[in-house]
Amino acid sequence: MSGPGLLVFVTMLLAPLALTAILSLNVFNGMEGIQNVYSLKNYLEIFSDSYYLEIFGRTALMSAIVTVLCVVLGVPETIIISRMRGRWRGVFLLIILAPLLISVVVRTLGWSILMGNNGLINKGLMLFNIIDEPLRLAFTMTGVTIAMVHVMVPFMVISVWASLQKLDPQVENAGLSLGASQRTVFRRVVLPQLLPGILSGSIIVFALSASAFATPALLGGRRLKVVATAAYDEFLNTLNWPLGAAIAVVLLVANIIIIVGCNRWIERRFKSVFEG
């Protein structure tokens, strides 16, 4: 019964990844194009060139910041919404999930207008005398991070919401009735049950942030490159497809290593805390 699904998975995902990995080993010549010669030259160039190392470092930093902010904002939002009455719960849940219903290009262009020197954000801050001159938000890491958090928070909310639906309110009430404080009940009863949702949401947010293209490209511009935009430039501007494929493969492998490593580390840390 799983044969058709496995076939689709292999055809639509594993086969393109395998072809990309093979392409990344081809040697590229500026005059003759892609050569039928295989080498690790592209990977050596990525790991030996400070330009690419800086891009990977910037991407990792941005993804980590976005993930932390989504946890800080998304978890309390989900808990608050889950305790609202039915009508208001649906309204606020729709508001939070609204960014997913809008095209990424339209959403990013909207943020670029808001963050401009004459945008609504700067005008509002200057109107209340919070700042004396416009803040530079567009084409900066701060602006890209804000826009990324806006679209990634819904993924965190969805993941934590799924865990909250399995939470029995009577267990929390039992802890309170036995004399535990709200903080202790949350730390020892609620948080351990939310942890799988937080971890899965963090993995989704980090992976999507690290591979995001449209938002960093439109808000970051040419000067603030991330891995996805660097691979795009290699494919379409310099036409160095093997180097672009190598960048994509390194991003995929780095994503897997970071996600699996952080997942295991966090699970061990929380397990030791809760058991202690």
Side-chain angles (χ1 to χ4, degrees):
M1 295 296 291
S2 62
L6 181 62
L7 179 62
V8 172
F9 176 77
V10 172
T11 304
M12 302 298 292
L13 182 62
L14 295 185
L17 288 177
L19 294 175
T20 302
I22 295 173
L23 177 62
S24 68
L25 297 174
N26 284 101
V27 174
F28 177 80
N29 185 290
M31 298 297 294
E32 301 178 0
I34 301 175
Q35 307 294 306
N36 288 324
V37 179
Y38 297 96
S39 169
L40 295 175
K41 178 182 177 181
N42 296 319
Y43 292 98
L44 294 176
E45 181 177 352
I46 293 173
F47 290 109
S48 61
D49 193 334
S50 60
Y51 170 75
Y52 293 109
L53 294 178
E54 181 182 354
I55 289 176
F56 273 92
R58 181 185 300 122
T59 304
L61 177 62
M62 180 195 70
S63 303
I65 294 174
V66 171
T67 303
V68 171
L69 291 177
C70 285
V71 172
V72 172
L73 296 175
V75 174
E77 281 183 352
T78 310
I79 295 174
I80 293 172
I81 292 176
S82 67
R83 300 186 178 184
M84 289 182 175
R85 294 185 177 180
R87 180 183 302 176
W88 291 108
R89 180 189 305 167
V91 171
F92 280 92
L93 192 60
L94 178 62
I95 293 174
I96 292 176
L97 300 181
L100 300 180
L101 306 177
I102 305 173
S103 168
V104 62
V105 176
V106 174
R107 182 177 58 248
T108 305
L109 290 176
W111 273 110
S112 65
I113 295 174
L114 288 174
M115 293 180 181
N117 290 337
N118 296 319
L120 184 61
I121 295 177
N122 277 314
K123 285 185 176 179
L125 294 175
M126 294 178 68
L127 179 64
F128 292 101
N129 295 321
I130 298 176
I131 58 175
D132 297 326
E133 57 183 17
L135 294 175
R136 186 166 176 260
L137 295 174
F139 308 112
T140 64
M141 179 66 77
T142 301
V144 174
T145 301
I146 292 173
M148 291 292 295
V149 170
H150 175 240
V151 68
M152 294 301 169
V153 163
F155 292 102
M156 181 62 67
V157 171
I158 293 173
S159 299
V160 178
W161 182 271
S163 297
L164 271 176
Q165 299 310 301
K166 303 175 183 178
L167 180 62
D168 187 359
Q170 298 302 323
V171 177
E172 185 177 355
N173 293 333
L176 294 174
S177 66
L178 293 173
S181 63
Q182 287 280 1
R183 180 178 300 180
T184 302
V185 170
F186 178 79
R187 183 173 63 88
R188 300 296 298 271
V189 178
V190 178
L191 186 57
Q193 298 184 68
L194 295 183
L195 185 58
I198 296 174
L199 290 177
S200 61
S202 299
I203 290 173
I204 294 171
V205 170
F206 186 90
L208 292 178
S209 299
S211 58
F213 169 75
T215 300
L218 295 176
L219 278 178
R222 304 287 299 178
R223 292 179 296 179
L224 193 66
K225 284 187 178 295
V226 294
V227 176
T229 56
Y232 174 87
D233 287 341
E234 296 297 338
F235 272 103
L236 295 184
N237 292 338
T238 64
L239 300 181
N240 190 346
W241 288 20
L243 182 56
I247 293 174
V249 171
V250 172
L251 173 62
L252 175 62
V253 174
N255 251 339
I256 294 174
I257 293 174
I258 292 174
I259 289 171
V260 173
C262 290
N263 188 20
R264 291 184 178 179
W265 180 80
I266 292 174
E267 283 182 344
R268 286 199 299 267
R269 292 281 295 181
F270 273 95
K271 184 178 181 181
S272 62
V273 170
F274 293 135
E275 289 180 350

